Amino acid sequence: MSTQAQPKQTQTKKPATKFFGPAAMSFPTWAYAVFFFIIPLALIVFYSFGYKPDQFTAIATDQLSFDRYPEAMSSSFVSTFFATLRISILGTILCLLIALPFAYWLAIKVAPARRSLALALVMVPFWTNFLVRTLGWQIMLSPDGFLSNWLQGLGLLDGPLDILYTRSAVQIGVVYNYLPLMILPLFVAIDASGKKLREASYDLGAGKVKTFMRVTLPMAMPGIVSGCLLVFIPLNGDYVTATVLGGASGSMVGQLIANQFNTAQNWAVGAAMAMILIISTLIVVGVGFALLKLGQAITAKLNSVPLHDGRA
């Protein structure tokens, strides 16, 4: 009797073990992806095919069509979109140019005992509220702010600083706000490249510049790619920085989308604009990856050593 009951118990326990065992460990990941990415994105796609039936209703989906997409591609949206793309690409490049030497210094030159303090100094401003940080730059860039008075005191400006509510102010704000997202992946990648590889390069006769170009930079390429993605993608949809620092002359696509949802109460056009922005961002990222792969292939071809009769 006991020998027959034992297999039945194991058979009944297998599905429960399978469901509540190792497979359950991935529940937070796919639940987060489903509820905070897939479902909201699906709603945006669905709403982009709807329409605004009257003045008091934001969305109706009883008649689905592509009519909102041509409506979203107005002249103001197209011009603002290219301005946003220019700010995003330039902001990503500036973040990379600033973060690369800083991350190199932090990973190689700073003593390990002081590295935690340096990382904390990078992250503490990033933990501050995004709006508060941007308002701080609004105060600093104002014509009667500290920076304007300081530059006038040094004789570098003849009058008040006239940069607030322009695209230049937006550019400064986005670089400041997203710079930590570029520094951290670069620091991790450069730190993981290893001291032994650099020392081996020095022993083989390579200088600091050649070691950086041939050893450190290729090893840091995953961090560069991750940092560029972490900066470029959210920067495209940023509207807080543009609203606070740009005003009307420094507007970005995120502002237009937010206005359609919050002010105009036209969710269909806003969703269509959001989908155009998402698709365009994916295209730009895809082109960037293709150029990166092409550059790596060309570099590998140039650095390869040809063999003649089995010898280099």
Side-chain angles (χ1 to χ4, degrees):
M1 295 292 291
S2 60
T3 56
Q4 292 180 355
Q6 211 168 3
K8 290 183 179 180
Q9 290 178 357
T10 55
Q11 287 179 1
T12 54
K13 285 183 179 180
K14 276 184 179 180
T17 304
K18 186 177 180 181
F19 183 79
F20 293 106
M25 298 296 292
S26 62
F27 173 77
T29 303
W30 62 258
Y32 183 89
V34 168
F35 289 106
F36 295 102
F37 179 73
I38 295 177
I39 292 178
L41 183 61
L43 287 174
I44 292 295
V45 174
F46 181 62
Y47 285 163
S48 68
F49 299 124
Y51 66 99
K52 182 177 174 63
D54 53 63
Q55 184 179 359
F56 304 102
T57 307
I59 184 71
T61 56
D62 56 326
Q63 298 177 3
L64 303 180
S65 68
F66 287 93
D67 295 342
R68 303 292 80 76
Y69 285 89
E71 186 178 346
M73 292 291 291
S74 60
S75 58
S76 61
F77 177 83
V78 173
S79 62
T80 306
F81 170 77
F82 282 108
T84 302
L85 191 62
R86 185 164 55 249
I87 291 173
S88 301
I89 294 176
L90 182 58
T92 304
I93 294 173
L94 290 174
C95 285
L96 179 61
L97 293 178
I98 297 172
L100 188 58
F102 182 81
Y104 180 85
W105 170 80
L106 187 61
I108 295 176
K109 301 298 182 180
V110 177
R114 299 180 179 178
R115 201 169 292 164
S116 299
L117 177 61
L119 285 172
L121 293 176
V122 173
M123 291 305 300
V124 166
F126 187 71
W127 291 332
T128 309
N129 184 272
F130 193 93
L131 179 59
V132 172
R133 283 184 284 147
T134 310
L135 288 172
W137 274 101
Q138 185 187 50
I139 297 171
M140 184 175 294
L141 296 177
S142 63
D144 55 349
F146 161 76
L147 185 61
S148 178
N149 296 331
W150 182 61
L151 293 175
Q152 291 180 71
L154 292 176
L156 299 177
L157 287 179
D158 296 330
L161 183 66
D162 188 19
I163 195 175
L164 191 60
Y165 304 129
T166 64
R167 286 178 183 169
S168 299
V170 175
Q171 195 74 70
I172 295 171
V174 295
V175 169
Y176 172 77
N177 283 327
Y178 293 98
L179 185 59
L181 295 177
M182 183 71 76
I183 292 175
L184 292 180
L186 281 174
F187 165 74
V188 172
I190 294 174
D191 186 55
S193 62
K195 184 179 179 181
K196 293 182 179 180
L197 290 176
R198 293 190 295 271
E199 290 179 348
S201 178
Y202 296 145
D203 292 340
L204 293 173
K208 291 184 178 181
V209 176
K210 195 170 184 179
T211 299
F212 176 79
M213 298 300 296
R214 300 290 294 271
V215 177
T216 305
L217 192 60
M219 293 289 290
M221 193 56 65
I224 293 175
V225 173
S226 300
C228 290
L229 291 176
L230 288 173
V231 171
F232 178 77
I233 293 176
L235 204 159
N236 260 333
D238 184 6
Y239 69 94
V240 175
T241 308
T243 303
V244 175
L245 299 178
S249 59
S251 60
M252 295 176 66
V253 172
Q255 285 177 287
L256 300 182
I257 297 174
N259 289 336
Q260 290 295 330
F261 278 96
N262 299 326
T263 305
Q265 288 293 300
N266 194 337
W267 291 11
V269 173
M273 288 182 176
M275 288 307 304
I276 293 171
L277 178 62
I278 292 172
I279 294 171
S280 303
T281 302
L282 292 176
I283 292 174
V284 174
V285 170
V287 171
F289 270 112
L291 293 176
L292 177 63
K293 292 294 184 183
L294 180 62
Q296 289 177 339
I298 294 174
T299 304
K301 186 72 175 178
L302 293 175
N303 293 334
S304 62
V305 179
L307 297 177
H308 301 284
D309 298 329
R311 293 176 295 178

